[in-house]
Amino acid sequence: MRLFWHRGDARTRDNAGLAAAARDGAVVPVFVYDSDLLATVGARQRAFFLRHVKRLEDRYRELGSDLVVRAGDPDEVLVDLADEYDAETVFYNDHYRPARRNRQRAVEDALAGAGVETDSRTDLVLVDPGRLDERYPNHSRFHDDWEAVPKRGPYAEPDADALAAVRDGKTVPEPDADIDLPEAGYEAARERFDEFLDYGITSYNDTRDDLARAVEAPTHAVSRMSSYLATGAIGIRELWAGASDVYDAVTGGERRNVEKYRYELSWREQMYHLLYYTPDLAVSNYKSFPNEIAWRDDDEAFEAWARGETGYPLVDAGMRQLNAEGYVHNRPRQVVASFLTKHLLIDWRRGARYFTKQLIDHDYASNHGAWQWTASTGTDSVDVRIFDPVSQMAKYDEDARFVKAYVPELADVPAGKVVDWPTLSRGEREELAPDYHHPIVDRNEGYERAQRVFEEALGKR
């Protein structure tokens, strides 16, 4: 008998560890409700993930088995379950977040002490980070090495006869959230991905930064698969295989668009690579600075940013989307992070914590790696990258479709005036939209201050 310990992988399909466990002998599927670890993610994502676990439970019952649910410390629970089911091996998938790695080590030690073997598999990523070099100067160099490693296809769902005929009366809570959550579970994830493969992937590179398109067709302009991937409802090999099948079937511009989608998946891979080799990625600057960065402590400015009341329309639209949906499109996601860390000069760690709380697609590696990249403390080869929120809106939302969808105070303001809002006179702004906010920082002063502070930290001033 074998146990399979579900961690952040609430699915039976394309599950590396589950497939390995089911190859020889009956498998008892297990989920340990680890309240301490679940408390480290936001309530929204926790609710979404636990709904996946409920769908997983339903699927096992359809297959004639059940998900054995217990609450407590995994090292204690799994030893007890291994004894109860006379299991000789416990299988699970590797995770790279430090807290999860600590849990895994505790489980391995406890099971070894009880005479039970363990078997862990690479599942979260296409390429085991340990196969690659420890550091890369930029993403292109990482991508070259990563691309050279063969990618295997999705793992099949175990046959019903490979699953133990267990019955368990316990289950997980299904908490409410303060926002409407997407439909949970693998089937919902696969349905969304199929729709993107049919209607979005062959135009992905052309539409991924088109914010008007993101309002009109949000799951076609981009895939919007991040929430399902981050919470383990669908496997990364399944996404790669689906995209690759389309890539092989098309040519020309359509192939270029599909290749861009596959390339973007490599950014996620690099974030996990960073976390694997840099366990303190969430708390320490990845890049070394000869001098301290002079971050500002400004609670008032931070709260205005968090509420979407900065007086910079694209920043405010992005933050309001985040607060309302638990998701923010990648382009404004970069802009809001840059605005906080550069124009406001507030520490990226504070922004990352807010994202952790609000996002349903929060991914520990991607969240902290991307915040560091945008804050110029991470892997970016540019010394001081600053996204100008005015020019970004002019380029990606010139008709103000995205902004007006989330900032209703600007609904009747001409698009050109919305774009230029931070540069207009106070009197003109009050005449155009008296209920909307004035900029909390001058555009040029914020830019120049950030440039100076980072150059001082780099020892260039």
Side-chain angles (χ1 to χ4, degrees):
M1 188 73 74
R2 293 137 177 245
L3 301 185
F4 178 72
W5 173 29
H6 279 281
R7 302 174 75 188
D9 46 24
R11 61 183 187 278
T12 56
R13 297 166 178 83
D14 193 24
N15 189 317
L18 179 60
R23 287 190 188 115
D24 184 23
V27 178
V28 178
V30 174
F31 177 76
V32 181
Y33 186 90
D34 186 342
S35 57
D36 290 342
L37 201 59
L38 285 168
T40 63
V41 300
R44 296 169 167 187
Q45 189 176 57
R46 184 164 59 250
F48 192 45
F49 171 69
L50 289 172
R51 293 183 190 190
H52 294 334
V53 176
K54 294 285 283 187
R55 304 295 92 75
L56 175 68
E57 187 177 65
D58 294 341
R59 180 57 183 160
Y60 275 124
R61 290 171 180 172
E62 291 171 357
L63 294 170
S65 185
D66 203 355
L67 182 66
V68 176
V69 176
R70 298 290 184 270
D73 293 331
D75 54 324
E76 297 176 1
V77 170
L78 290 169
V79 167
D80 290 344
L81 288 175
D83 179 63
E84 179 180 345
Y85 290 101
D86 195 23
E88 68 273 10
T89 309
V90 176
F91 287 77
Y92 44 85
N93 292 317
D94 285 325
H95 282 255
Y96 307 110
R97 179 179 176 180
R100 288 186 176 273
R101 292 169 82 169
N102 291 339
R103 288 287 196 281
Q104 182 171 321
R105 283 190 286 268
V107 164
E108 290 166 349
D109 291 345
L111 289 170
V116 180
E117 295 184 357
T118 56
D119 190 321
S120 65
R121 301 296 171 118
T122 299
D123 179 78
L124 270 176
V125 289
L126 291 163
V127 176
D128 180 353
R131 296 187 60 174
L132 302 174
D133 292 344
E134 183 173 347
R135 294 180 78 91
Y136 289 93
N138 52 51
H139 181 70
S140 295
R141 291 283 294 278
F142 169 84
H143 181 264
D144 289 345
D145 281 5
W146 175 86
E147 189 175 38
V149 180
K151 317 292 188 296
R152 68 148 291 139
Y155 293 92
E157 181 180 61
D159 293 334
D161 57 10
L163 301 172
V166 294
R167 289 293 179 271
D168 186 66
K170 297 182 175 63
T171 189
V172 296
E174 198 166 352
D176 292 330
D178 66 340
I179 60 171
D180 291 333
L181 296 173
E183 187 67 29
Y186 169 80
E187 295 296 340
R190 185 68 222 193
E191 182 178 349
R192 176 174 289 188
F193 188 51
D194 285 338
E195 183 178 350
F196 177 67
L197 293 178
D198 289 341
Y199 302 108
I201 196 169
T202 55
S203 59
Y204 172 77
N205 189 55
D206 298 333
T207 62
R208 69 191 187 96
D209 280 325
D210 185 340
L211 292 179
R213 180 70 174 159
V215 173
E216 297 162 1
T219 59
H220 295 174
V222 293
S223 71
R224 293 287 292 261
M225 291 301 299
S226 56
S227 59
Y228 289 108
L229 193 57
T231 49
I234 195 167
I236 184 61
R237 288 158 301 277
E238 192 160 346
L239 296 192
W240 181 261
S244 297
D245 287 346
V246 177
Y247 178 83
D248 292 339
V250 298
T251 59
E254 289 188 334
R255 174 170 280 197
R256 173 181 57 81
N257 278 287
V258 178
E259 179 55 22
K260 183 62 175 180
Y261 182 77
R262 298 202 308 176
Y263 181 80
E264 289 301 305
L265 292 179
S266 75
W267 276 100
R268 176 182 179 273
E269 298 274 310
Q270 188 181 17
M271 297 300 102
Y272 273 102
H273 177 271
L274 289 173
L275 182 60
Y276 178 84
Y277 286 107
T278 316
D280 65 349
L281 186 68
V283 294
S284 300
N285 293 334
Y286 180 79
K287 184 189 295 184
S288 296
F289 290 83
N291 304 305
E292 290 291 323
I293 301 171
W295 299 116
R296 298 172 60 248
D297 291 323
D298 190 334
D299 290 344
E300 186 176 346
F302 179 84
E303 292 301 329
W305 172 83
R307 292 191 303 268
E309 296 177 354
T310 68
Y312 282 79
L314 184 55
V315 173
D316 292 346
M319 294 305 295
R320 294 188 194 189
Q321 182 184 32
L322 169 65
N323 293 334
E325 300 175 14
Y327 166 88
V328 55
H329 185 284
N330 186 62
R331 177 55 53 178
R333 190 177 298 216
Q334 292 177 319
V335 172
V336 302
S338 175
F339 187 81
L340 183 74
T341 58
K342 301 297 172 46
H343 281 76
L344 298 181
L345 266 179
I346 292 175
D347 196 321
W348 62 267
R349 283 159 281 225
R350 193 169 182 184
R353 287 193 295 271
Y354 188 75
F355 269 33
T356 299
K357 174 186 173 184
Q358 297 295 87
L359 286 171
I360 59 171
D361 71 352
H362 169 257
D363 177 293
Y364 191 88
S366 294
N367 185 43
H368 296 101
W371 266 97
Q372 291 228 45
W373 183 90
T374 309
S376 300
T377 62
T379 58
D380 193 1
S381 56
V382 176
D383 280 346
V384 189
R385 183 182 297 278
I386 304 175
F387 287 78
D388 173 36
V390 176
S391 61
Q392 288 282 308
M393 185 176 173
K395 185 174 182 179
Y396 299 111
D397 193 32
E398 63 177 350
D399 294 330
R401 294 287 303 281
F402 180 82
V403 164
K404 291 186 179 186
Y406 294 98
V407 185
E409 303 98 305
L410 297 173
D412 297 326
V413 178
K417 296 294 186 181
V418 176
V419 171
D420 292 335
W421 184 265
T423 68
L424 303 178
S425 69
R426 187 179 188 89
E428 187 173 6
R429 288 194 298 261
E430 289 178 348
E431 183 177 347
L432 288 167
D435 295 330
Y436 184 56
H437 301 271
H438 297 289
I440 63 173
V441 62
D442 180 81
R443 174 194 185 192
N444 294 330
E445 289 178 6
Y447 184 98
E448 291 166 2
R449 179 176 61 187
Q451 192 79 34
R452 182 185 71 254
V453 165
F454 272 83
E455 288 180 356
E456 288 172 350
L458 289 163
K460 295 188 174 183
R461 287 202 186 195

